[in-house]
């Protein structure tokens, strides 16, 4: 896979899980990382011990706030002078029957999972356009294509992002900005730890993955980073399942 030397990538939700693994992989490929998260109290934050401060900037960030995006863009440009990629990874997860889902829970999901992606893409566009291009990867979910009990709100938010990716690709293509999505299946992260301890969840959901296991965050990060590199320069507007065969089962 191509390296990312000299390129600066913003990764949201980078304190743990897929975001942390993605940030670590970018650093390993000699890229610069602007790692953002609303909560940096979690451990193992974005493999920060794998690079010196010259190539890593960690920032607090609520992706649902436009003002926070302005601050992140300004800080990234001040430290690295450019922005070559964006990974919209920050997300919220909910497994709850629709009839018991509150309006506040619905709004919280859409604010982060949908509004956050829109704000991020809009925020980086002027910078990437001036530079002559860039790559955006929005982390979606196989739940945007494959549906399970109790995931109506979550699936709706992720389906919206899958559609957004294809439309944004058309709008941004004139500026040489690629927009792609990665659709993970079930991933072993802090958000899914309790679910993966549930025999019922394992039977109903993991059993539908053809590989019959959850992914590790690094397996999803590998696909994300591929789409950021120049090796994927002719890949645009795809929603790539990285789901162990879940959406084909």
């Amino acid at each position: 896979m191509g390296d990312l030397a000299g390129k600066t990538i913003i990764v949201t939700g980078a304190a743990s899980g897929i975001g942390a693994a993605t940030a670590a992989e970018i650093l390993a490929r000699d890229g610069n990382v602007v790692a953002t998260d609303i909560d940096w109290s979690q451990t193992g934050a974005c493999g920060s011990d794998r690079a010196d401060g010259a190539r890593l900037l960690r920032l607090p960030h609520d992706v649902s706030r436009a003002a926070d995006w302005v601050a992140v863009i300004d800080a990234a440009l001040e430290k690295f002078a450019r922005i070559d990629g964006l990974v919209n990874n920050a997300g919220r997860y909910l497994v709850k029957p629709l009839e018991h889902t509150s309006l506040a829970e619905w709004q919280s999901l859409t604010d982060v999972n949908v509004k956050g992606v829109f704000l991020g893409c809009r925020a980086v566009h002027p910078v990437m356009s001036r530079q002559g291009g860039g790559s955006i990867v929005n982390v979606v979910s196989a739940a945007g294509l494959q549906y399970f009990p109790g995931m109506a709100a979550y699936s709706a938010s992720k389906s919206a992002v899958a559609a957004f990716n294809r439309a944004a690709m058309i709008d941004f293509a004139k500026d040489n900005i690629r927009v792609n999505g990665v659709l993970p299946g079930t991933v072993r992260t802090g958000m899914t730890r309790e679910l993966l301890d549930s025999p019922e969840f394992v039977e109903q959901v993991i059993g539908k993955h053809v590989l019959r296991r959850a992914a590790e965050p690094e397996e999803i990060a590998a696909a994300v980073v591929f789409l950021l590199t120049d090796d994927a320069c002719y890949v645009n507007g795809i929603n790539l399942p990285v789901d162990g065969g879940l959406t084909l089962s």
Side-chain angles (χ1 to χ4, degrees):
M1 196 188 324
D3 67 32
L4 291 167
K7 294 191 175 184
T8 298
I9 316 294
I10 298 172
V11 182
T12 70
S16 63
I18 295 170
T22 298
E25 185 65 18
I26 294 167
L27 292 171
R29 296 187 181 279
D30 297 324
N32 305 317
V33 176
V34 179
T36 82
D37 205 290
I38 199 169
D39 180 10
W40 280 108
S41 66
Q42 302 167 78
T43 59
C46 84
S48 57
D49 57 345
R50 296 181 55 177
D52 59 40
R55 291 198 292 113
L56 174 66
L57 176 64
R58 294 197 311 181
L59 298 171
H61 183 199
D62 179 346
V63 298
S64 69
R65 289 174 49 85
D68 278 26
W69 276 105
V70 172
V72 166
I73 299 300
D74 288 348
L77 292 175
E78 182 177 354
K79 184 170 179 65
F80 298 116
R82 59 185 298 113
I83 299 170
D84 301 281
L86 167 65
V87 180
N88 276 312
N89 166 73
R92 289 189 174 159
Y93 189 57
L94 181 69
V95 179
K96 197 171 190 180
L98 179 60
E99 65 270 24
H100 299 305
T101 301
S102 69
L103 178 58
E105 288 170 326
W106 174 277
Q107 191 66 58
S108 176
L109 280 177
T110 56
D111 277 354
V112 175
N113 295 358
V114 185
K115 181 182 174 184
V117 170
F118 159 71
L119 289 175
C121 292
R122 191 182 65 169
V124 299
H125 176 268
V127 179
M128 290 183 177
S129 180
R130 289 195 301 268
Q131 292 171 179
S135 177
I136 297 171
V137 181
N138 296 322
V139 178
V140 192
S141 171
L145 300 178
Q146 186 86 320
Y147 310 113
F148 298 96
M151 290 193 180
Y154 182 72
S155 290
S157 70
K158 291 302 187 177
S159 293
V161 177
F164 174 88
N165 288 340
R166 299 197 173 201
M169 174 270 292
I170 295 170
D171 286 350
F172 283 10
K174 66 184 184 302
D175 299 306
N176 196 34
I177 300 170
R178 296 183 294 113
V179 182
N180 291 294
V182 167
L183 283 64
T186 304
V187 184
R188 194 176 300 280
T189 68
M191 286 197 301
T192 61
R193 186 177 295 115
E194 290 185 11
L195 290 171
L196 289 170
D197 288 337
S198 163
E200 182 181 8
F201 181 85
V202 171
E203 180 182 354
Q204 289 185 352
V205 179
I206 301 302
K208 296 217 178 265
H209 295 64
V210 175
L211 293 182
R212 301 192 68 81
R213 66 173 178 86
E216 298 300 326
E218 291 77 12
E219 293 176 297
I220 310 305
V224 172
V225 172
F226 164 69
L227 291 171
L228 291 169
T229 69
D230 290 339
D231 285 353
C233 63
Y234 204 59
V235 181
N236 199 13
I238 67 164
N239 286 308
L240 175 65
V242 188
D243 62 3
L246 173 61
T247 53
L248 296 177
S249 63

